[in-house]
Amino acid sequence: MMKIFVDTAMIDEIKEAESWGILDGVTTNPSLIKKAVDRLDGVSLEDYIRKILCTTHGPVSLEVAGSTYGDMVSEAKELYRKFNPINDNVVIKIPVNTHMEDGDDNFEGIKAIKTLSETGIPVNCTLVMTPNQALIAAKAGAAYVSPFLGRIDDHLRTNLGLVGGKDYPKDAHYPDEIAERGREYKLIELLDGKDLGRIMYRDEDVMKVFDWGNDDGIFSGVDLVWSIKEIYDNYGFETEIIAASIRTARQVRLCAEMGVHIATIPFSVIEDMMTHHKTSQGMKAFCKDVVPEYMNILKP
Ligand code: E4P
């Protein structure tokens, strides 16, 4: 069954989703915690996190703040020691790569994942942007990997300069046109560069964008998730994929169609998953048509 996590640190949202019986876990990150801190209302952050842990039976991801192997391991151990005894549901989020500046080590995150996994602390490897990062994280022992599909769509859309350049709403559908161009590019690559007579898809700019990050032909965020799933299925990795950075209900549906293990979804997108104007229209019509005779039958 596909598991649904809510991507928030807002306790009212977690409670509400839990009350619907659909919630399997929670993911937080420093930015989401920052938003929640503004609403603490006199409660300490430590107590607030304790409340979150008790609000759901499922795993709750808490992220480290450090960017070196030593800092991340010690923070992870501290978070786990402090909070896991409360409801036995803490997962530690470690960035796949903490590299920020030239010269930074690319493997601090991976080393931390290995150490923590060996000590029995479950790790959610975060900020995954390529299938290769996901492959390495799984080999290092991550219990979960979180590919950020929305941020990959943002990147591709912005760099391709389509649909209004950088100005598009956060919940805009990732345009099929871009995905289509990417698919063609991938096909050309698979066919070893043979010309399919569709020259327009071979334009240099597009190829540069899809090659970003030394990756090999990812043409959308959903494609990133698909590629990771293929790799994990090929080798029987037990690492669970959490489709993250989700912006739209359509992305959730595409992930469900490919059989992804988990989607971590903002509360507003879970709401979008339930709405359809024809459902509302149908409700109005049915309510209008209820005859008094039928109402009488329904009375206890
Ligand atoms: C996932 O683990 C992150 O908390 C989250 O999905 C990031 O989403 P964003 O790209 O919308 O910030």
Side-chain angles (χ1 to χ4, degrees):
M1 185 181 62
M2 183 168 114
K3 287 178 256 183
I4 291 182
F5 290 4
V6 65
D7 199 9
T8 184
M10 296 296 181
I11 209 139
D12 49 338
E13 294 182 342
I14 300 168
K15 266 191 196 154
E16 184 66 11
E18 181 67 33
S19 75
W20 302 330
I22 60 145
L23 195 64
D24 301 295
V26 174
T27 55
T28 71
N29 62 39
S31 309
L32 294 172
I33 293 278
K34 187 177 171 203
K35 275 191 206 160
V37 162
D38 294 338
R39 297 221 219 144
L40 283 184
D41 226 6
V43 182
S44 74
L45 181 58
E46 218 169 296
D47 284 345
Y48 186 84
I49 292 174
R50 285 198 181 94
K51 268 197 199 169
I52 293 180
L53 295 168
C54 294
T55 305
T56 176
H57 60 283
V60 176
S61 290
L62 301 173
E63 189 158 340
V64 293
S67 55
T68 62
Y69 165 79
D71 285 351
M72 288 189 286
V73 168
S74 99
E75 289 168 6
K77 286 185 175 166
E78 190 56 17
L79 281 171
Y80 201 72
R81 184 193 66 77
K82 241 181 211 153
F83 294 114
N84 196 55
I86 293 159
N87 201 17
D88 194 19
N89 58 349
V90 169
V91 170
I92 302 296
K93 249 179 164 180
I94 302 282
V96 66
N97 186 352
T98 55
H99 178 284
M100 287 180 266
E101 309 292 342
D102 282 354
D104 287 353
D105 191 303
N106 278 303
F107 284 88
E108 298 290 281
I110 292 301
K111 286 186 271 185
I113 291 169
K114 178 182 181 286
T115 299
L116 294 168
S117 305
E118 280 174 355
T119 54
I121 296 179
V123 172
N124 173 356
C125 173
T126 190
L127 282 171
V128 168
M129 306 291 173
T130 75
N132 286 328
Q133 288 177 329
L135 171 61
I136 289 176
K139 285 189 69 83
Y144 305 92
V145 287
S146 294
F148 275 33
L149 66 92
R151 292 194 195 186
I152 285 299
D153 283 354
D154 291 346
H155 161 77
L156 293 174
R157 181 162 21 205
T158 304
N159 283 277
L160 284 168
L162 296 180
V163 285
K166 294 180 204 291
D167 301 321
Y168 53 87
K170 209 177 173 194
D171 61 352
H173 285 315
Y174 182 71
D176 290 338
E177 187 194 346
I178 300 181
E180 214 36 65
R181 291 176 106 185
R183 265 182 219 112
E184 289 299 329
Y185 166 49
K186 204 166 205 171
L187 197 59
I188 288 167
E189 196 184 47
L190 284 174
L191 291 173
D192 206 17
K194 285 191 196 86
D195 192 347
L196 297 175
R198 303 184 78 158
I199 304 295
M200 61 178 285
Y201 294 125
R202 307 188 64 181
D203 95 48
E204 285 297 309
D205 286 346
V206 175
M207 291 174 77
K208 222 181 339 181
V209 170
F210 287 117
D211 269 341
W212 170 76
N214 289 331
D215 199 25
D216 45 359
I218 291 304
F219 56 77
S220 74
V222 168
D223 183 47
L224 166 65
V225 179
W226 177 86
S227 175
I228 296 171
K229 189 169 179 303
E230 281 281 297
I231 292 169
Y232 284 7
D233 287 351
N234 282 346
Y235 299 106
F237 282 113
E238 285 175 12
T239 306
E240 288 188 84
I241 301 168
I242 307 178
S245 180
I246 283 179
R247 310 268 193 261
T248 68
R250 184 165 73 169
Q251 289 169 332
V252 178
R253 192 239 312 153
L254 292 170
C255 286
E257 283 173 359
M258 75 174 83
V260 78
H261 308 108
I262 304 161
T264 186
I265 314 173
F267 187 81
S268 61
V269 177
I270 300 180
E271 285 183 316
D272 291 346
M273 288 164 70
M274 280 304 293
T275 60
H276 196 279
H277 71 282
K278 291 302 281 182
T279 305
S280 305
Q281 205 182 72
M283 262 314 287
K284 277 186 205 154
F286 287 152
C287 287
K288 214 169 113 215
D289 286 346
V290 174
V291 291
E293 292 86 337
Y294 194 63
M295 278 309 288
N296 287 339
I297 298 170
L298 299 177
K299 283 183 191 142

